[in-house]
Amino acid sequence: MSVNPARDGQIGALPASMRAIAIRQPGGPDVLEMSQQPLPQPGPGDVLIRVAASGVNRPDVVQRKGHYPPPPGASPLPGLEVSGTIVAGDPLAMQAAGLRTGDLVCALLAGGGYAQYCVAPALHCLPVPRGLSLVEAAGLPETFFTVWSNVFDRGNLQPGQTLLVHGGSSGIGTTAIQLAKAAGAQVVVTAGSNEKCAACLQLGADRAIQYHEQDFVEQVLAFTQGHGADVVLDMVAGSYVARNVQCMATDGKLLIIAVQGGKDASFNAATVLMRRLSIIGSTLRNQPHAFKAAVASKLRETVWPWIDQGKIHPVIHACFDASQAAQAHALMESGQHVGKIVLTWE
């Protein structure tokens, strides 16, 4: 699809190329390098975004190491979420999404976010909520799409139920705490330091468990008076699966969204049977277009008003200039952050 100003409502003249962060070869943070890339062209259903900020996420690190290739047809550049300005796109798609050129949006991507410009499906874009900066908005899509589709769509978390979140101080964790509390649930989290536990409690968690010092199974059962967690959001897997099963409520749901603790797990299948437990795995990046569009619609209908009302606010730990992408990745891998890490382009 061309980007003809007369047809598409393009904003100004667009450059032929752009700066972007490429992965030179699989490896450590130092393999990230600034490069010059052709400007991406929006196809049917797409918009072209001039990027103000790019969110940094754990899957970006895994891709950099060579273990998480982009889906077929996606940009090979890392980056799964951005904020910025729509500068061109498919007019019909923009109309269907309620968007226009010049709108400030944040967007979920399958790749290509570490760049000055990126292409995104119009239906995967959301308006920047009132009162949020573009840096803050860049930290919304990946974690909010992930938490909503897992905790609420698959996990069916209800008011009054208990959600257990492992990695409560991560971008996913800080988002899950706030969404679950806004929805009227109780939230228990695990975190690796007293400082991180304190940050989770400040965000609204009802109980924070320092997993180096306390056994989360005992603590969850004590907090819930033996009932157990109704929904568990787990980014660890490995040995945590068996322990999650031990502290889940009857009819509980375990959502595994990453395997940072290992791919292999052994657990008591009899407990799963007797308590009617559900163990559900999912990834977001490879989900079909319609799935992500449906999640975007639910977020805009339910969660964006919560943000407008001040019930939820993205937690930004650090901002780096895009030229410092390697430092941003090093911080992500250190685990010494609470909330989101963002790259800025403007």
Side-chain angles (χ1 to χ4, degrees):
M1 174 181 172
S2 69
V3 282
N4 184 312
R7 192 184 72 187
D8 301 321
Q10 175 183 312
I11 296 180
L14 297 176
S17 63
M18 64 179 183
R19 292 190 305 143
I21 305 297
I23 300 172
R24 185 172 65 252
Q25 63 190 40
D30 61 310
V31 304
L32 297 173
E33 60 181 10
M34 189 67 74
S35 65
Q36 203 71 16
Q37 301 280 341
L39 201 73
Q41 296 297 307
D46 294 336
V47 296
L48 180 67
I49 299 171
R50 184 173 64 239
V51 177
S54 312
V56 177
N57 293 282
R58 184 71 57 173
D60 303 339
V61 172
V62 182
Q63 178 178 342
R64 191 202 73 221
K65 293 179 176 180
H67 305 310
Y68 194 26
S75 170
L77 299 172
L80 303 178
E81 60 182 351
V82 300
S83 66
T85 306
I86 295 176
V87 294
D90 180 337
L92 292 179
M94 286 194 285
Q95 183 179 10
L99 300 171
R100 297 179 298 177
T101 51
D103 282 353
L104 298 179
V105 295
C106 54
L108 183 74
L109 315 173
Y114 287 15
Q116 287 181 301
Y117 291 83
C118 72
V119 167
L123 291 175
H124 298 179
C125 298
L126 289 162
V128 172
R130 290 196 303 270
L132 292 195
S133 69
L134 286 169
V135 166
E136 292 168 323
L140 294 175
E142 173 69 11
T143 56
F144 277 63
F145 275 72
T146 297
V147 171
W148 185 268
S149 63
N150 283 282
V151 172
F152 295 94
D153 284 347
R154 293 186 176 93
N156 195 31
L157 183 69
Q158 297 295 308
Q161 289 187 329
T162 298
L163 170 68
L164 169 61
V165 181
H166 293 299
S169 62
S170 67
I172 293 287
T174 55
T175 298
I177 292 169
Q178 295 184 79
L179 288 182
K181 291 303 296 181
Q186 295 189 113
V187 182
V188 179
V189 304
T190 64
S193 71
N194 293 331
E195 292 75 17
K196 288 183 177 181
C197 285
C200 293
L201 292 172
Q202 188 172 8
L203 285 171
D206 297 282
R207 180 77 173 87
I209 302 164
Q210 215 275 49
Y211 61 77
H212 292 300
E213 299 177 352
Q214 299 172 303
D215 180 80
F216 76 76
V217 174
E218 294 177 357
Q219 294 294 318
V220 168
L221 291 174
F223 176 79
T224 60
Q225 299 181 322
H227 176 80
D230 299 285
V231 179
V232 180
L233 186 62
D234 183 16
M235 295 169 273
V236 183
S239 64
Y240 269 43
V241 176
R243 298 170 68 196
N244 287 327
V245 166
Q246 293 174 26
C247 65
M248 290 171 65
T250 299
D251 292 317
K253 295 179 176 64
L254 167 60
L255 293 311
I256 300 174
I257 61 171
V259 291
Q260 296 176 23
K263 296 182 290 184
D264 297 326
S266 176
F267 56 88
N268 188 332
T271 301
V272 175
L273 295 175
M274 295 299 293
R275 294 191 196 161
R276 302 186 298 274
L277 306 181
S278 299
I279 300 177
I280 306 166
S282 74
T283 60
L284 178 62
R285 191 177 192 181
N286 292 289
Q287 293 294 334
H289 168 83
F291 175 91
K292 297 176 184 177
V295 176
S297 178
K298 291 177 183 176
L299 288 173
R300 188 167 188 170
E301 176 185 350
T302 302
V303 177
W304 257 229
W306 290 344
I307 299 174
D308 289 341
Q309 294 161 16
K311 293 181 179 179
I312 295 171
H313 199 282
V315 179
I316 306 299
H317 180 88
C319 289
F320 293 85
D321 184 83
S323 62
Q324 299 175 303
Q327 291 95 313
H329 272 228
L331 175 59
M332 170 67 72
E333 291 186 89
S334 76
Q336 301 302 308
H337 61 288
V338 175
K340 298 286 295 190
I341 301 169
V342 175
L343 302 176
T344 58
W345 293 89
E346 296 183 347

